[in-house]
Amino acid sequence: MRRAHLLGLGFLSPALAIILMLFLIPVLLTVMFSFTNMSTATGISGGAYEINAASLRKLADAGAQESFVETLGKESFVVDDAGITAAAAAYGEQFANEVGSQMLGERFSSRRDLERAFRKLKSRPRSTRDIKKAADLFKRSVLNIRFETAGGLVDAVTDNGIEMTPDQQELLTKTIYTGWTWTSDNFALMAQIPYVWRVAGNTVLYVVLTLAASVGMGLFLAITTFYLPSSAASSFRAIWFLPRILPNVIFVLMWKWLAWDTGFLSSLLANFGVPPRNWMLDTGVNAWVFIVLINGIVGASLGMILFGSAIKSIPQSMLHASEVDGASRWQQIRYIILPQLRWPIMFICAYSTLSLLTSFEYILLSTDGGPGGATEVWSLMAFHTALDNYAGNLQYGLGAAMALMLVIVGILASLVYLRIFNFNDLVAKPRIEQ
Amino acid sequence: MRISIENFTKSFGDTTVIEDMSLEIGDGEMLALLGPSGCGKSTTLFAICGIHRMNAGRLMFGDADVTEVSSQKRNVGVVFQNYALYPHMNVYENIAFPLKVRKESKAEVDRKVQEIAGLVHIGELLQRRPMQLSGGQQQRVALARALIRKPDILLLDEPLANLDAKLRLEMRSEIRRIQLATGITAVLVTHDQVEAMSMCDRIALMDKGQIVQLSTPKDMYESPSSDFVAGFLGNPPIAFLDGTVADGGFRLANSQVTLPVPSGIEVPGEGAPMRFGVRPEFFQPGNPLKVPGKVSFVETQGREELYDVTLENGAVLRSIQSQNAGFKLGQEVSWGIEQDRVLAFGPDGNRL
Amino acid sequence: MTSSNFRSWPLFLVLAVISMPLVIMYVYLFVDTVTDTTAGSLIPDRFTLHHWRFLWEEPETGRVSIWTVTLNTFIFATCTTLINVSASVTAGYALSRLNMPFKRFFLGGILTLHAFPTITLIISIFLILQMIGLYNTLIGVILVKAALELPLGIWIMKGFFDNVPWEIEMAGLQDGASRFTVWWKLVLPQVQPGVAALSVFVFLSAWSEFILPQVLAPSGSAQVLSTYLSNLIFDDMKPDFNMFKSVGVFYALPVIVIYLIFNKQLMNIYGGGTKG
Ligand SMILES: Nc1ncnc2c1ncn2[C@@H]1O[C@H](COP(=O)(O)OP(=O)(O)OP(=O)(O)O)[C@@H](O)[C@H]1O
Ligand SMILES: [Mg+2]
């Protein structure tokens, strides 16, 4: 590699490292996670295998034969070395030896059978209570024991004398695993969510309405302030630019106050006999009005600035020319200014479509998708599913799958944009070749 | 249409750019507003077409007072310095724009565009964009756009400034031809005296927001009202000699040379400062009123040669002569001034 | 606009009416922090500093002191700015001026990365930070925020470097300086306005950031002002808007000061403009 190339890569390396760590790996992991069933329940590190009341129920639900589930749930009594050693410690060598010599390897399906067998022994403990306790020493069960690996579980189950067909074995290890596993179910699951289509529709509605509002308002602001004397223009620009730089928590707080049942709107309308209510959340339509206003005004700030500087770069003489040619103000806007704003408008549309599609902060802070899911959009749904829901079971895998849809849309869109906005113009050849 | 500007004053904020200017332009006349950069030519033009409002004064088109009328209603065609063609419209749409905003019918627009395109010779360029035109072609389009709705008045703001020398020559006569053909009243803003002299019926020479002289080109060249006017017109420019009145003649500064004063002028009192202006064509070897000096600069201009002659007191006279005179740099010469063509100026710069 | 063919007062009027709601919200945002209003009324009637008590009173149990939170926010914004600007300045120069393999690929990649806003990454970043133990720490959020603003930063700096005349660099090389020295001594000073504008932009963006701290560092010790305020708002059953607004104004104050100082540069950078 040429030395000049090393220099370039060297300059790029800090950025590359950060991008690799915090963009590429996360994107890849998003893909990976979307093919798992990770959730709060499974945890994010590995899990374990444990047969217990809950997992037996799951097993039955997953379609295991009733008898198989029953045997797994039952205890059995096996005379083995471990039991004999324990018996020796508790009830003396003699009893242990007798059990060892006469019954080693025998298996009993209930304690009663084992007790009966013990009673035939000479050196058995005296009291019935002790016999029961001694029998308990030989109790063998796979219930409530954690196994780190599937193999350990299968061995333990077979050791307990439970025969399994390979099918049963697979079903068992799959169902009772407490950690996360690979799965492609998320996408099917997503399609089955009853409100998913509504959310998709909301997303389209949100993007279209907000885009229209912000481009419309942005154009309006840019053009009107252009025609105003500069002092008035800069005051209005300041008023409309502030929403863009105010922290969004505060901006939304102002709207909440406006809409609250003790807030400005309610107090104002009380004078006209309108009962107070939370204007932002009382109906779906109202919630949408606020969402579009809040997001639209923030978008309009950007539009105002971009369109404003584009209008400023139109030569004055061209505007003068149109005036002496007889154009009214409306005709000047329609025929001279707007046509020359075509690129900035296209740029804003492209840029905002993408960022709106994935942005949800203002919705999260204002309506949080409510009332009743009326304003839930796709990215918010992914956020709710994976990181913040009332049920408390955060479904990382499903959420990642939802986010993945956005990643795909994002990549496709930006490839299209690179086409439209003539990427080649942006890549100039270096003029110094060392 | 006659234009009359009466007591026009214009200021931007605190700076007054034009003060109390009056100017009358006759019907069908082509008038040049000539002057150095920043003297207020464009400002005057913008006031006539209504882009700027006048701070004081009155503007009449014919018998109508248009002082408060908006640009849109004045019916004035303007060709801007950089043409101000609309880049997103093709030539046809550019020319048709003034008619379009008046909502004229398609057929009518088409007929007029074809007609005007023929007049300015751009009939085959109508589908191109302004970017795809040469400077001269853009110029013609701008002219066509200004003329299409038969304006009462045509204003041209430095229309030739962006053209190369050859095109400038061609467009000069072209614009004049079109102006004469349409009989329109026209105002041409320029800082190029050759343009003003060759194209216009009269010239209004401006300086610092004032009209210093208003007359025909010939008149202005031959009898300028001040040394500023004399210096502005003529290429190569006039040469000035500074001195004082002595014994009823003109004594060169720092020198004993005394020249006679042209006949028929009122000589100021003895010792008063005075200025002589000598145009290069009137300082020739053959003239009788000799002044000795040394050739300090020679420039060959093809058909002619231009000489600077430095006099003993350091003043410089200029001479233009047909080629093959063959004077060398550094040569001592004694050439003569044509006495009656000398322009004499008083201490305030005004012509005596 | 120097033309006098159009009247401006009708536009002024329309704009004034449309701006009314915003102006009302701004005015009440400030006024409400130092006044009390009788319920149901619109006009404040008493002056009070009571709403600002969070500045000097001991925090309620379970809440962190506002000063700790402010310090956290400041550290968060400053570090993010430093990391982001350093990486943007070097990478922007490389992409604007230096020879390297796959340059087109890098540039296109950076543009594409811009299409991955928070939500697409935050789930996996949340899990990654938990795995490597940076969950609930400022370091984690700082790194993530710096990274998320990186594509834009690189792009903006590239724009500024593009506008530096090549002749400056060529002259520097002829004078015997190395490419690095040329960059450090000759080119960087030329893009100083760009560095300043980007710094202000990133600082403000980090200062205002909400989602990242909310998800990646929600606990008390790493809280920043945005999460502090939003917790306050979400926790209370009976909202005390005057107090929320006081915290809000306290939080917004640096933003407003910075806006007043850097107004021009900010308009420029938010407008996507890269002209120095
Ligand atoms: N909008 C304005 N605000 C303030 N001053 C102005 C404005 N427009 C013009 N001026 C000033 O008015 C004076 C006259 O300007 P004008 O454009 O009329 O000059 P000009 O004669 O056309 O010069 P040029 O030949 O360079 O075009 C100049 O000094 C200029 O600086
Ligand atoms: Mg001018």
Side-chain angles (χ1 to χ4, degrees):
Chain A
M1 190 173 296
R2 302 206 346 242
R3 213 181 68 86
H5 288 172
L6 286 179
L7 187 69
L9 289 177
F11 265 79
L12 201 57
S13 56
L16 276 184
I18 295 180
I19 285 174
L20 187 74
M21 258 169 30
L22 291 153
F23 270 103
L24 295 186
I25 295 181
V27 170
L28 290 181
L29 285 182
T30 304
V31 178
M32 204 185 96
F33 291 146
S34 64
F35 288 94
T36 69
N37 65 352
M38 264 189 208
S39 69
T40 327
T42 66
I44 54 171
S45 42
Y49 301 86
E50 183 176 325
I51 300 178
N52 53 30
S55 61
L56 283 177
R57 223 173 301 124
K58 249 167 73 184
L59 196 60
D61 290 345
Q65 293 116 318
E66 226 169 283
S67 60
F68 176 55
V69 177
E70 208 170 301
T71 26
L72 276 177
K74 268 204 188 130
E75 317 164 320
S76 62
F77 294 79
V78 180
V79 181
D80 54 12
D81 291 332
I84 291 168
T85 321
Y91 301 104
E93 287 289 334
Q94 210 183 353
F95 172 62
N97 285 339
E98 198 173 359
V99 174
S101 58
Q102 298 201 6
M103 302 163 61
L104 187 64
E106 280 188 52
R107 181 181 299 276
F108 305 87
S109 59
S110 73
R111 179 162 61 198
R112 190 178 245 155
D113 295 341
L114 181 59
E115 282 170 25
R116 201 172 293 139
F118 278 166
R119 278 184 222 281
K120 293 179 185 141
L121 299 176
K122 281 200 198 92
S123 53
R124 62 172 195 266
R126 288 297 123 212
S127 74
T128 317
R129 230 179 95 234
D130 283 344
I131 291 179
K132 274 187 202 293
K133 270 189 180 171
D136 268 346
L137 293 176
F138 295 89
K139 184 167 89 184
R140 294 294 173 263
S141 159
V142 286
L143 280 184
N144 302 322
I145 301 173
R146 277 178 70 91
F147 298 94
E148 294 303 325
T149 62
L153 172 78
V154 172
D155 285 350
V157 172
T158 10
D159 281 356
N160 271 13
I162 304 172
E163 298 297 330
M164 292 186 289
T165 62
D167 278 353
Q168 284 175 328
Q169 190 174 324
E170 197 192 314
L171 186 69
L172 174 71
T173 49
K174 208 178 123 198
T175 338
I176 67 163
Y177 184 57
T178 59
W180 57 271
T181 53
W182 298 104
T183 169
S184 57
D185 291 349
N186 285 328
F187 299 93
L189 224 57
M190 199 153 53
Q192 284 161 14
I193 297 175
Y195 51 85
V196 74
W197 294 112
R198 182 167 157 207
V199 170
N202 279 350
T203 312
V204 175
L205 192 67
Y206 164 66
V207 171
V208 170
L209 287 181
T210 310
L211 197 62
S214 50
V215 170
M217 272 199 283
L219 273 177
F220 177 79
L221 290 170
I223 292 172
T224 46
T225 53
F226 172 70
Y227 281 114
L228 286 184
S230 64
S231 57
S234 54
S235 313
F236 281 119
R237 276 193 209 113
I239 291 175
W240 288 90
F241 181 60
L242 215 50
R244 180 127 203 120
I245 55 164
L246 268 188
N248 35 28
V249 184
I250 300 175
F251 189 57
V252 172
L253 170 67
M254 300 194 320
W255 286 91
K256 277 198 156 160
W257 164 79
L258 194 76
W260 207 259
D261 50 13
T262 57
F264 186 83
L265 269 183
S266 293
S267 301
L268 183 71
L269 292 175
N271 296 329
F272 306 98
V274 183
R277 67 182 89 153
N278 187 331
W279 289 90
M280 194 186 287
L281 288 174
D282 69 337
T283 65
V285 175
N286 278 4
W288 272 105
V289 169
F290 275 93
I291 294 290
V292 171
L293 275 180
I294 293 174
N295 285 284
I297 286 178
V298 173
S301 293
L302 180 67
M304 175 182 74
I305 311 274
L306 261 178
F307 300 146
S309 56
I311 295 178
K312 247 197 224 129
S313 67
I314 299 176
Q316 281 270 327
S317 61
M318 212 170 288
L319 300 169
H320 291 157
S322 67
E323 281 164 41
V324 296
D325 283 347
S328 65
R329 169 140 60 196
W330 170 241
Q331 285 170 326
Q332 185 173 70
I333 294 171
R334 167 79 187 72
Y335 296 122
I336 310 295
I337 296 182
L338 284 182
Q340 306 207 44
L341 292 184
R342 242 187 55 217
W343 276 110
I345 292 175
M346 276 184 70
F347 174 79
I348 287 257
C349 287
Y351 177 86
S352 304
T353 311
L354 212 54
S355 62
L356 282 174
L357 206 57
T358 48
S359 83
F360 59 96
E361 281 190 68
Y362 286 105
I363 305 186
L364 174 70
L365 286 165
S366 53
T367 65
D368 197 14
T375 53
E376 180 101 344
V377 294
W378 196 274
S379 51
L380 188 60
M381 173 174 74
F383 177 78
H384 278 151
T385 308
L387 297 171
D388 178 31
N389 64 30
Y390 301 113
N393 185 17
L394 305 178
Q395 293 169 282
Y396 309 128
L398 184 57
M402 291 169 174
L404 188 63
M405 309 304 264
L406 292 177
V407 174
I408 293 169
V409 174
I411 292 180
L412 288 180
S414 43
L415 288 181
V416 173
Y417 295 161
L418 285 182
R419 262 259 135 84
I420 299 177
F421 292 100
N422 218 351
F423 180 59
N424 279 331
D425 291 354
L426 301 172
V427 195
K429 267 235 163 314
R431 287 169 57 194
I432 295 180
E433 295 185 334
Q434 56 171 289
Chain B
M1 180 156 305
R2 189 172 51 83
I3 308 172
S4 63
I5 304 171
E6 298 165 12
N7 310 103
F8 163 44
T9 299
K10 176 73 197 175
S11 40
F12 296 105
D14 292 339
T15 49
T16 301
V17 175
I18 307 257
E19 200 157 10
D20 200 25
M21 172 209 266
S22 295
L23 177 63
E24 186 116 354
I25 304 163
D27 190 15
E29 183 183 22
M30 181 146 179
L31 179 107
L33 277 180
L34 178 65
S37 189
C39 69
K41 305 179 298 280
S42 299
T43 308
T44 309
L45 201 78
F46 282 170
I48 297 176
C49 66
I51 285 166
H52 290 337
R53 284 285 178 275
M54 300 161 77
N55 291 87
R58 210 154 70 114
L59 178 65
M60 311 278 292
F61 286 177
D63 294 324
D65 184 343
V66 295
T67 317
E68 294 301 324
V69 174
S70 71
S71 295
Q72 287 89 344
K73 302 216 175 81
R74 288 194 188 186
N75 200 25
V76 174
V78 184
V79 175
F80 288 85
Q81 177 166 345
N82 48 13
Y83 316 136
L85 297 178
Y86 311 126
H88 55 286
M89 301 180 188
N90 65 23
V91 169
Y92 182 97
E93 291 164 331
N94 261 286
I95 299 176
F97 184 75
L99 304 180
K100 181 173 173 187
V101 297
R102 282 179 178 67
K103 306 204 162 57
E104 292 197 11
S105 77
K106 266 216 157 65
E108 186 75 349
V109 170
D110 200 53
R111 189 182 61 74
K112 288 185 179 171
V113 171
Q114 297 300 345
E115 183 188 309
I116 201 85
L119 179 69
V120 299
H121 307 318
I122 48 167
E124 65 287 4
L125 302 175
L126 289 177
Q127 294 314 313
R128 297 227 202 138
R129 295 257 164 162
M131 304 278 255
Q132 301 164 325
L133 299 180
S134 73
Q137 291 166 332
Q138 291 187 15
Q139 168 78 77
R140 288 167 192 270
V141 175
L143 208 53
R145 188 179 67 186
L147 290 172
I148 183 126
R149 68 207 139 104
K150 306 251 180 308
D152 300 323
I153 290 157
L154 176 65
L155 305 179
L156 304 133
D157 191 359
E158 315 224 6
L160 306 175
N162 293 341
L163 303 181
D164 66 41
K166 189 163 163 289
L167 252 180
R168 203 178 296 189
L169 216 63
E170 179 189 325
M171 286 311 294
R172 248 198 270 168
S173 47
E174 192 66 10
I175 290 177
R176 180 62 166 167
R177 172 182 75 76
I178 292 164
Q179 190 262 333
L180 289 174
T182 49
I184 194 171
T185 310
V187 179
L188 170 81
V189 161
T190 177
H191 55 242
D192 182 348
Q193 38 118 2
V194 182
E195 237 169 81
M197 292 206 284
S198 60
M199 293 169 73
C200 296
D201 300 312
R202 284 196 301 160
I203 297 176
L205 188 69
M206 291 182 67
D207 185 32
K208 303 197 184 88
Q210 306 268 325
I211 294 183
V212 285
Q213 187 170 358
L214 173 64
S215 52
T216 61
K218 186 170 149 52
D219 223 29
M220 189 172 279
Y221 185 75
E222 287 175 355
S223 56
S225 66
S226 69
D227 55 352
F228 171 78
V229 178
F232 205 85
L233 257 54
N235 186 26
I238 195 167
F240 288 109
L241 299 173
D242 286 308
T244 50
V245 180
D247 309 330
F250 174 72
R251 161 91 37 87
L252 279 180
N254 310 319
S255 160
Q256 290 310 309
V257 178
T258 307
L259 299 171
V261 177
S263 50
I265 70 162
E266 199 178 307
V267 182
E270 186 75 9
M274 192 157 74
R275 245 181 153 196
F276 263 22
V278 183
R279 293 213 183 270
E281 59 269 36
F282 304 132
F283 180 55
Q284 300 289 338
N287 291 340
L289 188 58
K290 300 288 185 204
V291 191
K294 198 157 113 182
V295 175
S296 57
F297 176 74
V298 182
E299 185 182 295
T300 306
Q301 291 191 337
R303 216 174 324 107
E304 286 148 341
E305 273 178 347
L306 178 66
Y307 300 102
D308 280 7
V309 175
T310 305
L311 310 186
E312 52 157 352
N313 71 337
V316 177
L317 282 178
R318 231 167 261 128
S319 172
I320 190 155
Q321 303 172 16
S322 58
Q323 219 179 358
N324 70 36
F327 296 100
K328 296 269 170 307
L329 193 68
Q331 194 173 346
E332 301 277 351
V333 293
S334 185
W335 293 343
I337 298 172
E338 196 164 327
Q339 187 185 344
D340 281 342
R341 310 305 292 263
V342 166
L343 303 167
F345 303 96
D348 52 0
N350 286 342
R351 179 89 181 281
L352 293 170
Chain C
M1 187 65 190
T2 54
S3 160
S4 47
N5 286 313
F6 303 127
R7 310 239 157 278
S8 57
W9 66 262
L11 290 181
F12 188 90
L13 219 64
V14 173
L15 261 181
V17 169
I18 291 183
S19 309
M20 215 52 201
L22 274 180
V23 174
I24 288 177
M25 287 194 282
Y26 295 147
V27 169
Y28 275 91
L29 177 65
F30 287 93
V31 170
D32 279 356
T33 64
V34 289
T35 56
D36 271 324
T37 309
T38 313
S41 163
L42 289 175
I43 316 295
D45 44 20
R46 293 180 300 279
F47 175 82
T48 174
L49 286 177
H50 182 66
H51 308 305
W52 288 89
R53 65 189 178 283
F54 65 92
L55 288 182
W56 52 81
E57 275 183 7
E58 280 291 306
E60 289 169 43
T61 43
R63 286 209 193 290
V64 192
S65 147
I66 183 90
W67 297 108
T68 318
V69 177
T70 309
L71 183 67
N72 279 346
T73 317
F74 185 76
I75 295 174
F76 169 52
T78 312
C79 295
T80 303
T81 308
L82 282 179
I83 296 178
N84 179 287
V85 171
S86 324
S88 301
V89 163
T90 46
Y93 182 66
L95 291 175
S96 166
R97 287 299 166 84
L98 297 177
N99 280 299
M100 74 178 75
F102 313 120
K103 186 159 164 180
R104 283 180 56 85
F105 171 79
F106 285 135
L107 266 176
I110 279 167
L111 276 185
T112 315
L113 285 184
H114 205 48
F116 294 109
T118 323
I119 184 63
T120 53
L121 303 170
I122 197 166
I123 297 171
S124 52
I125 290 180
F126 169 79
L127 298 176
I128 294 172
L129 291 190
Q130 287 208 331
M131 287 171 188
I132 62 177
L134 286 180
Y135 180 68
N136 249 336
T137 63
L138 271 182
I139 303 175
V141 224
I142 288 171
L143 284 175
V144 175
K145 181 66 185 170
L148 285 179
E149 297 289 354
L150 198 55
L152 182 68
I154 295 178
W155 199 248
I156 284 175
M157 283 322 299
K158 176 189 176 294
F160 275 99
F161 283 119
D162 282 346
N163 285 342
V164 175
W166 273 101
E167 286 70 22
I168 289 185
E169 271 178 90
M170 294 177 175
L173 291 179
Q174 293 311 312
D175 291 346
S178 74
R179 201 76 202 260
F180 182 84
T181 314
V182 165
W183 173 70
W184 183 249
K185 287 264 166 71
L186 300 180
V187 181
L188 261 193
Q190 306 289 320
V191 296
Q192 228 164 22
V195 175
L198 180 65
S199 306
V200 172
F201 176 81
V202 177
F203 186 90
L204 278 188
S205 169
W207 186 266
S208 309
E209 178 63 46
F210 167 68
I211 283 286
L212 291 179
Q214 172 77 5
V215 173
L216 303 179
S219 88
S221 58
Q223 219 168 38
V224 291
L225 280 166
S226 59
T227 47
Y228 178 88
L229 178 56
S230 84
N231 285 349
L232 218 56
I233 297 172
F234 276 100
D235 281 0
D236 269 9
M237 295 314 291
K238 243 180 95 53
D240 177 359
F241 274 102
N242 295 67
M243 199 256 276
F244 299 164
K245 284 181 173 181
S246 305
V247 177
V249 168
F250 177 77
Y251 174 26
L253 228 43
V255 177
I256 293 168
V257 170
I258 289 177
Y259 168 65
L260 290 178
I261 301 174
F262 295 99
N263 175 345
K264 269 227 180 69
Q265 291 92 321
L266 274 175
M267 292 252 184
N268 208 348
I269 211 164
Y270 277 93
T274 53
K275 308 257 147 50

